């Protein structure tokens, strides 16, 4: 059986790069073969899994500079049947791609808003007068380059190679430690093999809504986790979309949901929440700086 | 003296509409005259205040559907000298603007990513095959309409009137309760008049970083607030941009920072934080559904 993996396309995006890492790791560690299926948005790649068009989606969750990818969190909350199987953290290095002869000739820079934001300081220093134009993906920005020598795009080194386009500047992200966390997501009832050497999951992700207008409503669930010694690695609020000031909270804890104290914590938290969803327990696939999965 | 007010431009954006509400309220309640100064980004309107180019900026903080405007939070954290003077909550109603004769003729829709996201369901239902293209502001999207009858933009009713463009559909936002909260921000040492009938501020906004890798580091400050009966109306995590998994927390509390129990809370919270910044105490200007400030 060949596994199909949805990701934000077209080919050349960072999401495709993460999907490829997962595909290669799968082939090496389990012998399962897979193909990549690009989708025009993150929401559509997750919906493709929910509808059974593909078995797996690889989606960005969080960038170290720009924060949560809210489209991923909101869609995961809406689609009931999905579960996180694995996480991977990938270093991000942006390159400026253009057919221009010199930096001074560039008048317009296209890229995904997150990539533009991650290169703000570099752009203000070296291209202070250019117009910045957002695109739906870093790869889509490359479509603007054809035959226009005053246009540049911010994308990955890999995308430049893939489309045979000249790199003008490399590593232009403002923070060198730039990296993005991705989740590998499938339908909950289909088990996907985990890294074999590490049976117990290191992280569990969940989300809950709390009753509106109750002082300290969020504190109670957090107190339960703190008292039971369960470390929180992430907390993010998202609007319920009903009315301003009503939130959902997305929480990552550093434990497996099958551990007894996590089970107790969830049972204790539940009465303080309106809706509580567990998105799964998973391991983080170790990736080295050369963008390869460390053997394991 | 004439006050200058920075906002995200060009004219016709929702930020300009909020700035106009503030300008009108200022003229009516204090007799102070003001002019509007459009800037190409939210960050640039805030920096204009920090540099003293303008006295005030009106910036979006949070939308009821799409959540926090992270550009505002991140810039406020970076610029030390700014203080929030006032908040206002404005209803948002999106319209589809186009020179096309019929919906079926539309092939491309331009708008700010937040506006595209807020009309997702409507777009999927009525324009399922169109290409969605992001722009830097809802007004910029209107520039795409010229002479192309297959193009539409999502913007406000007011922008359609301002640029004399035809409205194809009104109220196309997926959630009718769509509204955006704005902050009026100036340099901390310049007092700006508050609504005269309401002397005590209703909200205080602050942000802090906590030491990394300490379990329950966030819980301690929240426990202090809960124990002292101070209600939290918002919590938002943002990356420190140093490394993945290190966060700042932006918190809104429903109290004036000059109240004794808030003073105690801040003193108690401070040792648990690395950096603690208070962005000011302020009132919320009441706006009715006709987008007018309710007298007060």
């Amino acid at each position: 059986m060949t596994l199909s993996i949805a990701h934000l396309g077209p080919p050349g995006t960072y999401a495709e790069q993460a999907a490829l890492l997962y595909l290669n790791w799968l082939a090496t560690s389990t012998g399962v073969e897979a193909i990549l299926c690009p989708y025009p948005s993150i929401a559509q790649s997750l919906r493709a899994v929910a509808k059974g068009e593909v078995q797996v989606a690889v989606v960005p969750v969080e960038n170290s500079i720009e924060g949560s990818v809210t489209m991923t969190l909101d869609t995961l909350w809406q689609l009931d049947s999905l579960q996180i199987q694995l996480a991977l953290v990938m270093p991000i290095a942006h390159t400026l791609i253009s057919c221009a002869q010199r930096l001074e000739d560039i008048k317009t820079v296209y890229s995904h808003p997150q990539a533009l934001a991650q290169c703000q300081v570099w752009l203000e220093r070296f291209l202070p007068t250019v117009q910045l134009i957002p695109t739906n993906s870093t790869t889509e920005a490359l479509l603007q380059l054809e035959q226009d020598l005053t246009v540049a795009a911010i994308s990955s080194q890999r995308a430049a190679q893939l489309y045979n386009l000249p790199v003008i500047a490399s590593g232009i992200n403002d923070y060198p430690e730039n990296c993005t966390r991705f989740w590998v997501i499938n339908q909950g009832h289909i088990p996907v093999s985990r890294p074999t050497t590490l049976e117990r999951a290191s992280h569990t992700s969940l989300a809950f809504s709390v009753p509106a207008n109750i002082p300290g409503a969020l504190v109670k669930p957090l107190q339960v986790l703190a008292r039971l010694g369960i470390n929180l690695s992430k907390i993010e609020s998202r609007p319920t979309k009903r009315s301003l000031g009503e939130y959902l909270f997305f929480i990552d804890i550093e434990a497996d949901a099958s551990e007894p104290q996590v089970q107790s914590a969830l049972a204790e938290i539940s009465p303080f929440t309106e809706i509580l969803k567990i998105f799964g327990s998973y391991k983080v696939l170790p990736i080295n700086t050369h963008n390869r999965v460390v053997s394991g």
Side-chain angles (χ1 to χ4, degrees), chain A residues 40-99:
Chain A
S41 73
I42 294 168
Q44 278 162 280
S45 32
L46 286 172
R47 277 194 230 120
V49 179
K51 285 189 275 181
E53 285 173 25
V54 296
Q55 279 88 51
V56 176
V58 176
V59 291
V61 195
E62 183 187 16
N63 173 267
S64 59
I65 312 302
E66 283 305 300
S68 288
V69 181
T70 55
M71 174 77 86
T72 298
L73 301 181
D74 290 355
T75 311
L76 195 59
W77 176 265
Q78 284 157 15
L79 299 173
D80 264 322
S81 56
L82 303 184
Q83 289 278 305
I84 305 162
Q85 297 295 334
L86 205 60
L88 52 96
V89 176
M90 196 175 79
I92 301 286
H94 293 302
T95 58
L96 189 75
I97 301 169
S98 174
C99 302

Side-chain angles (χ1 to χ4, degrees), chain A residues 50-264:
Chain A
K51 285 189 275 181
E53 285 173 25
V54 296
Q55 279 88 51
V56 176
V58 176
V59 291
V61 195
E62 183 187 16
N63 173 267
S64 59
I65 312 302
E66 283 305 300
S68 288
V69 181
T70 55
M71 174 77 86
T72 298
L73 301 181
D74 290 355
T75 311
L76 195 59
W77 176 265
Q78 284 157 15
L79 299 173
D80 264 322
S81 56
L82 303 184
Q83 289 278 305
I84 305 162
Q85 297 295 334
L86 205 60
L88 52 96
V89 176
M90 196 175 79
I92 301 286
H94 293 302
T95 58
L96 189 75
I97 301 169
S98 174
C99 302
Q101 292 298 309
R102 304 168 311 160
L103 268 186
E104 301 86 272
D105 299 335
I106 297 170
K107 301 275 169 280
T108 319
V109 177
Y110 289 84
S111 197
H112 188 275
Q114 284 241 355
L116 292 173
Q118 291 166 25
C119 304
Q120 262 179 78
V121 176
W122 191 92
L123 289 167
E124 281 177 24
R125 184 164 166 208
F126 293 102
L127 296 169
T129 60
V130 296
Q131 202 191 353
L132 305 178
I133 301 187
T135 54
N136 287 312
S137 70
T138 50
T139 310
E140 238 182 52
L142 299 175
L143 301 178
Q144 307 295 333
L145 299 187
E146 283 174 52
Q147 299 172 337
D148 188 338
L149 299 180
T150 69
V151 163
I154 296 173
S155 193
S156 66
Q157 192 84 35
R158 185 171 171 276
Q161 284 162 0
L162 204 61
Y163 295 97
N164 197 19
L165 289 164
V167 168
I168 293 245
S170 298
I172 64 167
N173 25 292
D174 300 332
Y175 298 83
E177 303 287 302
N178 195 335
C179 54
T180 297
R181 187 158 59 103
F182 291 84
W183 278 337
V184 176
I185 289 177
N186 72 353
Q187 283 200 42
H189 54 274
I190 306 172
V192 158
S193 46
R194 285 213 192 120
T196 46
T197 51
L198 308 152
E199 281 310 324
R200 179 158 279 192
S202 59
H203 289 77
T204 298
S205 293
L206 52 114
F208 54 80
S209 56
V210 292
N213 303 316
I214 296 184
L218 169 64
V219 176
K220 294 213 178 75
L222 298 187
Q223 274 174 332
V224 171
L225 295 171
R227 181 164 37 77
L228 293 171
I230 299 167
N231 200 18
L232 216 73
S233 59
K234 170 103 217 277
I235 180 167
E236 175 76 38
S237 62
R238 290 293 302 147
T240 59
K241 304 185 197 280
R242 288 186 304 227
S243 94
L244 200 67
E246 278 183 44
Y247 302 100
L248 311 173
F249 295 96
F250 287 78
I251 282 178
D252 291 352
I253 58 174
E254 294 180 354
D256 191 312
S258 66
E259 291 172 36
Q261 88 265 40
V262 179
Q263 293 281 331
S264 319

